[in-house]
Amino acid sequence: MEDLIDVRDPEEGVTNGTNGSTNQYGEFYNPTRQQLKRLVLSYLCHQCYTSTAEVFAKSKDIQTRLEEAARRRQKTDGDGDAVMGNGTETPESTPSLSKETLATIAIRKEIIDCLLNGKIEEARQLVNRHFPSVLNTSLSNSSINHSDSSTSTSATGLMLSASNPPMADNNSCRVSLKPEHLNLNLRIQTFIESVRTKPLSPSSSTETSSPNSCSGSPPRTLTPNPKKALALAQQLYMEVSAIESSKDRNDYMQEVNNVGGLMAYKVPEQSPIAAYLSMKRREAVAEQINSAIMASMGDPPISHLQRYVEHNTVLWSMLDELSVTTPPPSSTPPGVVLPSTASAGHLQSNKGPQAISPGFELSRFLAT
């Protein structure tokens, strides 16, 4: 029987891997291979890497294979004959993802592909059909958690403006997941797509697009409809003017004013506010909607692995900025290996040169 992996909380039940108890260095001090596998699998599922997640869920590392071989040897006698077990031993099951999980991932992937290819209304229809609570403004004040309470959120959600172009690394934990903000951001993106004159290259969220995906070859040329764009802009102004929160209303009014400026240029892609027409903007919208969908299902809006990377990036950057030296190996907990300090600077002290804590890079960390 297959063991269906629960990818919703990879930290649940994390212990030191020996006697089932935690220790002074934290819950993830010495996690088991299965716990680490769940951590990676939850990231793959969150990012809609469906094929990779399926293969990874069924894979076995070398240590697991050796342990299975050892158990098989223990079940044979000296003549090589199989020894009957006592009925309590069971072979290690092959983990897999449930059909429901895979189906949900496929839907989220299709929504993301629609957004990445500028098909905003198609994406909205898919969200309303499969995840109706995400854009339902009547549920804004219900018990559904529409934002990550650990951080402050932006009213416009995307933190984009004429003077603040899209960030290269969108942190979904810092954007609003409220339905009214999501709806407005989708409408703003719809307006942006209506004034586009140069198509972006087709894009897919992950791996190979599904047959029903919104991805595909865009037209070679785009001819904006000024009347349609003007109607969309007027509708946006009406909706923003009706926002009850004065802060949100002011933020969105500034955003709409900036975006509306695209209509003043014959080729807006060559304007000072061309950042609104970039792929990064589409990616920001897609990431925000995906995070909202995850939250609506009771899952974290960002994966645990992404949160750990963000935390360590800030932590190690501050240590590097403050020229904090790395502790000697003798003072680090058993089994802990610090990232390579080969590229880090050094400080002179009465104990000789000491390596400064390097900035955090995931690839370098994984290589240690």
Side-chain angles (χ1 to χ4, degrees), residues 109-355:
K109 183 181 184 300
E110 186 173 0
I111 292 171
I112 293 173
D113 285 345
C114 285
L115 295 171
L116 292 180
N117 287 278
K119 300 178 180 179
I120 312 304
E121 289 309 309
E122 288 90 333
R124 181 190 292 275
Q125 293 173 9
L126 287 171
V127 173
N128 286 333
R129 184 186 310 154
H130 299 285
F131 311 101
S133 66
V134 171
L135 300 177
N136 191 340
T137 55
S138 64
L139 299 178
S140 297
N141 297 322
S142 67
S143 58
I144 297 177
N145 181 18
H146 293 294
S147 62
D148 187 343
S149 59
S150 63
T151 57
S152 59
T153 58
S154 167
T156 57
L158 304 181
M159 297 178 289
L160 306 179
S161 66
S163 59
N164 182 23
M167 299 173 64
D169 50 342
N170 303 301
N171 298 325
S172 58
C173 62
R174 294 181 177 85
V175 298
S176 171
L177 305 182
K178 294 181 179 179
E180 55 267 32
H181 295 163
L182 300 175
N183 273 291
L184 279 170
N185 290 338
L186 287 176
R187 294 196 184 280
I188 291 174
Q189 191 63 32
T190 299
F191 169 79
I192 291 173
E193 301 300 335
S194 73
V195 299
R196 189 183 299 278
T197 62
K198 295 182 178 181
L200 293 172
S201 300
S203 179
S204 176
S205 56
T206 54
E207 303 173 328
T208 304
S209 301
S210 61
N212 296 325
S213 174
C214 290
S215 61
S217 299
R220 293 184 179 181
T221 59
L222 296 174
T223 304
N225 185 332
K227 292 184 178 180
K228 178 182 178 181
L230 182 59
L232 290 172
Q234 291 173 338
Q235 182 65 28
L236 268 176
Y237 275 104
M238 291 176 59
E239 293 188 22
V240 171
S241 299
I243 297 178
E244 294 182 1
S245 169
S246 60
K247 182 181 183 304
D248 288 359
R249 184 170 61 254
N250 293 335
D251 288 345
Y252 266 106
M253 191 59 73
Q254 181 63 48
E255 182 88 345
V256 172
N257 286 333
N258 292 334
V259 173
L262 292 169
M263 296 183 64
Y265 299 90
K266 185 176 181 180
V267 183
E269 289 83 359
Q270 298 176 1
S271 70
I273 52 177
Y276 282 109
L277 295 158
S278 68
M279 180 57 74
K280 289 181 180 179
R281 169 78 191 201
R282 285 182 178 177
E283 292 171 351
V285 175
E287 180 66 22
Q288 186 184 30
I289 295 298
N290 186 48
S291 295
I293 292 173
M294 299 296 291
S296 73
M297 297 188 298
D299 296 329
I302 66 172
S303 66
H304 289 280
L305 185 58
Q306 180 179 340
R307 187 181 293 277
Y308 297 153
V309 170
E310 291 176 354
H311 174 82
N312 279 282
T313 299
V314 174
L315 178 62
W316 285 87
S317 295
M318 287 299 300
L319 292 175
D320 180 61
E321 182 178 336
L322 298 174
S323 299
V324 177
T325 59
T326 56
S330 59
S331 65
T332 57
V336 174
V337 180
L338 297 177
S340 172
T341 58
S343 60
H346 290 78
L347 288 178
Q348 290 291 337
S349 69
N350 54 359
K351 297 181 181 180
Q354 294 179 294

Side-chain angles (χ1 to χ4, degrees), residues 39-61:
L39 180 67
V40 175
L41 190 59
S42 68
Y43 172 79
L44 295 175
C45 292
H46 190 283
Q47 300 299 120
C48 300
Y49 292 103
T50 314
S51 300
T52 304
E54 287 187 272
V55 173
F56 182 77
K58 297 177 182 179
S59 66
K60 296 180 182 179
D61 57 30

